[in-house]
Amino acid sequence: MMEPVYMVLSVFLLVEVLLVTLLCAPMPSNQVRGAVTRTVTRLWNNEAVTWISRCVMVLNLVDLWWVLDSLLHPLYNLGILSGRPDLTCELRAEMFMNERNAHSAAASIFLWFVLRRLLDIRGQAARVSIAQQVATASGRWAAGADGP
């Protein structure tokens, strides 16, 4: 059975994967892309979601720090390269579980930064696009006003 903390971390990792996939997926039109980006940005900028994501990020950092030693020598710890016959199946299972938890915590931390950067890039692109549309519209208006 999974511990409750790792269940929360796993669900948060899946949500991060879903949001990053939504932001990176090809969209049929700019309207759909804008709607997805606005929805994810609105969700991410919600104060409750921001605090929850920061708390889960701290949990991931603590978890990674706690199980980081399992990544130092994974093949030796599992007895593959050293051939240590004194490792029991339970000990190997625990080592594997620690290694798995370290990988999932590191992936979640990485995706947290990727998601923040993707939202930042999408927001900047939207602002540039709006500025270009305004400049184009005002240029057309000025050209139309000067015409005969």
Side-chain angles (χ1 to χ4, degrees):
M1 184 163 170
M2 186 177 257
E3 295 180 24
V5 173
Y6 288 114
M7 183 66 175
V8 169
L9 295 179
S10 299
V11 168
F12 187 73
L13 177 63
L14 291 175
V15 169
E16 285 177 326
V17 167
L18 175 72
L19 292 176
V20 169
T21 302
L22 270 175
L23 290 173
C24 292
M27 300 290 170
S29 68
N30 285 337
Q31 287 80 16
V32 174
R33 180 180 295 113
V36 168
T37 303
R38 279 191 302 275
T39 303
V40 173
T41 302
R42 207 174 300 128
L43 173 72
W44 190 255
N45 289 338
N46 185 346
E47 191 173 340
V49 173
T50 302
W51 279 104
I52 289 170
S53 71
R54 287 178 183 165
C55 290
V56 173
M57 177 69 166
V58 168
L59 280 174
N60 274 318
L61 287 170
V62 169
D63 181 43
L64 184 63
W65 179 262
W66 190 260
V67 295
L68 192 61
D69 62 334
S70 66
L71 295 178
L72 295 177
H73 307 289
L75 297 178
Y76 289 104
N77 288 344
L78 291 177
I80 294 173
L81 292 180
S82 66
R84 291 178 44 197
D86 58 336
L87 293 176
T88 63
C89 286
E90 291 83 10
L91 187 58
R92 288 180 192 223
E94 185 178 336
M95 287 178 178
F96 174 74
M97 194 168 57
N98 285 341
E99 186 177 350
R100 179 204 61 199
N101 292 341
H103 286 296
S104 66
S108 184
I109 292 167
F110 175 73
L111 282 176
W112 190 79
F113 285 112
V114 167
L115 182 59
R116 287 179 51 108
R117 185 64 183 142
L118 274 172
L119 289 173
D120 186 40
I121 289 171
R122 293 283 183 164
Q124 290 173 356
R127 284 190 293 276
V128 168
S129 175
I130 290 170
Q132 286 177 344
Q133 289 173 359
V134 167
T136 303
S138 65
R140 275 193 235 145
W141 180 76
D146 292 339

